[in-house]
Amino acid sequence: MRRPALAALLLLPLLAACGGGGGGEQRTEASGTAGSAPRAAASAEPSPSPSTAAERKPSSGASSSQGPKNTVPDDELTPVTGSFTKEEKKYLSGRVPEGIDPAAILQAGQETCDKLAATAKVDRDATVGAVIAGEVKGAEEAVKGLCPELKSLIEDTEGGYADGTHADPVPGTYRALTPMEDCSWSLDGASGGAHRITVKKGTESFTSSGCYAWQKES
């Protein structure tokens, strides 16, 4: 199996932040295991294609969403049963749409943490690449608010690039994560096929295809 196929299998479907879910439960146990073969990550929003990724700046991992416009006030963030911790309330602040059980939003974030932790044990590169590629919505926010022990995973995504065309790429050395056999790239029109590249100062354009995601190493 080629590594891109493994990358596609690693991440279990994640609950969309505004999706349904049992409102009674506040915590879930990790459902992914190192021996399982999960399907590709699903999200409420489609991942950007190479054509729509044009002119993108480096990814900071999971792109921060602005959240819904009409949200439940902080003083009304209470579950049907039990109570939220201070950290959980901070995570939920400004994130719960009106009419949605806040416990469902919390559960979605906790499941994101669970899936990241489980899949990183199987293949960290594929997990980092999936976050850089935007296939794990809300990863950065979930880690920051609910599972800070995964901070190093998010740090590995900082400054990375997904497949596509990017203007004024940041100088540095990058490594392709889970590239396909036909992974190719070009810097200001000069093409190459190596899985590690150096972007020099003054480079105006970086384009890649079939490489999935690039991690910034230095």
Side-chain angles (χ1 to χ4, degrees):
M1 181 184 293
R2 293 185 300 178
R3 288 180 61 80
L6 176 59
L9 289 173
L10 277 173
L11 293 173
L12 290 168
L14 305 177
L15 289 180
C18 295
E25 294 184 2
Q26 294 180 40
R27 294 191 176 278
T28 57
E29 297 296 326
S31 56
T33 62
S36 62
R39 293 172 298 177
S43 64
E45 302 172 13
S47 300
S49 64
S51 60
T52 59
E55 306 301 313
R56 266 182 55 177
K57 292 294 182 181
S59 168
S60 59
S63 57
S64 299
S65 59
Q66 296 180 351
K69 293 182 178 179
N70 299 318
T71 59
V72 177
D74 290 356
D75 58 0
E76 296 180 14
L77 290 173
T78 55
V80 176
T81 60
S83 61
F84 293 130
T85 66
K86 181 179 179 180
E87 290 74 19
E88 290 170 342
K89 285 186 176 181
K90 184 176 181 180
Y91 171 76
L92 291 171
S93 178
R95 197 181 299 277
V96 182
E98 291 182 351
I100 299 297
D101 184 353
I105 304 301
L106 179 62
Q107 181 179 342
Q110 290 169 337
E111 289 194 355
T112 296
C113 288
D114 292 341
K115 304 309 188 295
L116 288 173
T119 55
K121 291 180 180 179
V122 179
D123 191 326
R124 187 180 178 91
D125 279 357
T127 307
V128 170
V131 176
I132 292 175
E135 293 184 2
V136 188
K137 303 301 181 182
E140 184 174 359
E141 293 86 349
V143 169
K144 181 179 179 180
L146 300 174
C147 47
E149 66 275 10
L150 298 179
K151 179 181 178 181
S152 65
L153 184 71
I154 297 301
E155 290 176 342
D156 285 349
T157 72
E158 294 176 354
Y161 288 101
D163 267 346
T165 298
H166 311 276
D168 302 320
V170 177
T173 300
Y174 297 82
R175 178 173 66 96
L177 301 173
T178 63
M180 296 181 67
E181 294 176 358
D182 60 351
C183 168
S184 63
W185 53 267
S186 66
L187 296 171
D188 289 344
S191 61
H195 296 162
R196 182 175 272 101
I197 62 172
T198 297
V199 176
K200 297 181 179 180
K201 184 177 180 180
T203 299
E204 296 181 355
S205 177
F206 168 45
T207 299
S208 77
S209 176
C211 305
Y212 190 48
W214 296 85
Q215 180 184 18
K216 192 174 190 299
E217 295 187 317
S218 63

